[in-house]
Amino acid sequence: MRPKILYPLFGPLTSIKGIGPKNASLLKYLCGNYIVNLLTHAPASYIDRRNNPKIKDLKEDSIVTLTVTVESHAPSFNKRMPYRINCSDETGIISIVYFNARSIYIKKLFPINSKKVISGKAEAYKDIYQIAHPKYVVDENELESIKQIECVYPLTAGITSRILRKSIDSALLTCVDLPEWIPEDILNKNGWSNWKQSLINLHKPKEIYTKILDNKYLNRLAFDELFSHQLKLRLVRNKLTLIKGNSLKATNKLIKKLESNLDFKLTKDQIKSISEISKDLSSDTKMLRLLQGDVGSGKTIVAIFALLQVVENNKQGILMAPTELLAQQHYETIKNFLDKLDVSISLITGSIKNDRNYNADIIIGTHALFQENASFQDIGLLIIDEQHKFGVHQRILLSEKAGNECDTLLMTATPIPRTLELAAYGDMDVSKLVSMPLNRKPIITKSMSNDKIIDLKSALLKKIRNNEKIYWVCPLVEESETNSIQSVTARLKDLESYYGEELVAMIHGKMKSDEKNQIMDNFKAGKTKILIATSVIEVGIDDPDATVIIIENSERFGLSQLHQLRGRVGRGVKESSCILLFQKPLTDTAKKRIKIMKETNDGFKIAEEDLIIRGSGETLGAKQSGLPDFRLSDLSIHQKILEMARNLSIETIKNDPTLKTQTGKAQRTLLHLFNNEVAIDYIKSG
């Protein structure tokens, strides 16, 4: 239950003076339902209006606040020409310019010989300076009405800067003093004010910060947000460590047989990860571990070792994949590895109507496994593949469905920067596969403008004659699968006319599972040589004969997605390449992405660069729904603050695991403030 002290902050937006139902609806879309959401809607930047020069000292494109005398009016008699008001001070003359102005209004605003204070951007025009459509025009005695430092906020359609600023100013009046949840030594070390004062100074700054990290008021609030999240993760983790798990010690009856059948050497990272997972499975506490590795780093074989350890203890292992395509691939791969072992394997997906063996040692399927009224024997391990999209609540729910004692292993082929890892997976242990298998050759990446597609098509003929296969990826347009299909269809017709219909096929997300499976079977069998697709092939398609991937309009894709797509090739013994087609002209960001892709195959390095280029706002978007949505902090900037928050959360749970001290009670308030009260439920239930 939310503490009473927070009630004013969680009042509806309509309770603020000046916000009616219409503006409340727009503000809800922009920032949220409650007053606190409005208060934590941080400025994107600031405008400095403290520059009060004389006209003779003006500089091009500078924001200035001038005190001038109105000299004369020069109305426009041509709609395309501006209305000019000539003003002066003792040092020179300046023009105030309005386009499409109403003369009556302008003459009333600028009486001849009146003193006016004007604030706006000064621009040079011919031999004098001018200010077009000044932001402020007030009388000399109203100077204080001009904010010296003006906040610039992210907006939405229907909400003006003026309305938003007035709304936030009114919201600040409801701001309450909250008990301090940050230890005094951290406050003093960083020069931080209390929560209320930090909010006030965020929205009513007295100085300009050229760098975000210099803004101590924003840093304090960012710390609060990150600390609340880290505290939640730490409390959840603490709860999980109290849950008794199955002690599944390796007998090596099956594991040794698998090792002897392998025709390749495991990498150091694979050996380490297998050992870490085995240790977790052997312990009597519940395992919750993340296995992250780059595309092609060998996560599947690590998962197989874990599954066999479970089977050795007469329990079931379940591997869940996000798509039927990927589930099918896992089934075939695991079945091949375990061909000579006495282990039963079952594939259960939505399209498989019969022969559902829920008694098999290892079951592979999609999330639908737990949506059905399936009766499993005794699940010892749940492996969730490609579940970087799952948040802490979803992870817990899935593992609970499998059984409270069931160990859980999550896998992702999306390399995660350390800052995002700490933010999203602070409740978990992490194993990493950084090194690639010895037989993996680096993929050669080239870029090419779209106007050279004819040359590219000609060059691919040699690959086709050499029985090599090609992926041709078309971009998502406006995040719409429908538009994407149109793009794919157009490319299909183009390539069919060039290579012949029998060599080219198309696959996309709107197809039925049976149709997609048939297309993939034909591609794997070599009946078709070129597979045109949307980014549906980003995950789960593995063909060692595929040596070329072409990504059309690559400038539309993010770095991590480009890297994921590139990883679809280079899985066989032949040299592989990735061709990044782009449409001219390229933005600076697109140029950076293409340059990085050409320089490295290291997914972890690429993920770090992606975070820097895009910022955490985009990286933590809807597609990465398992990652938290932060409002005040930016993980691409606030790495050190995240580390501080994490360290304090560890120390807090160590010394005050149930948050019973005075500071602990304040930290409970913090959890409620940022809607992380689920963690308090864990305290109560623990």
Side-chain angles (χ1 to χ4, degrees), residues 556-606:
R556 294 175 181 253
F557 296 89
L559 258 178
S560 293
Q561 195 176 25
L562 286 173
H563 180 64
Q564 285 286 310
L565 288 167
R566 177 170 62 181
R568 294 305 102 204
V569 297
R571 297 181 172 241
V573 295
K574 293 181 180 178
E575 188 176 83
S576 297
S577 56
C578 172
I579 311 296
L580 303 176
L581 290 174
F582 61 84
Q583 185 69 47
K584 295 178 181 177
L586 284 175
T587 64
D588 289 341
T589 299
K591 287 177 183 176
K592 285 180 184 175
R593 285 175 182 155
I594 290 173
K595 184 174 182 288
I596 293 164
M597 287 293 293
K598 290 163 73 173
E599 288 176 347
T600 182
N601 281 265
D602 187 338
F604 287 91
K605 185 178 179 181
I606 286 171

Side-chain angles (χ1 to χ4, degrees), residues 123 281 284 479:
E123 300 170 311
L281 290 170
D284 59 359
E479 300 296 318

Side-chain angles (χ1 to χ4, degrees), residues 103 111 269 393 522 547 571 594 620 663:
S103 295
D269 288 345
H393 307 306
N522 290 341
T547 60
R571 297 181 172 241
I594 290 173
L620 302 176
T663 302

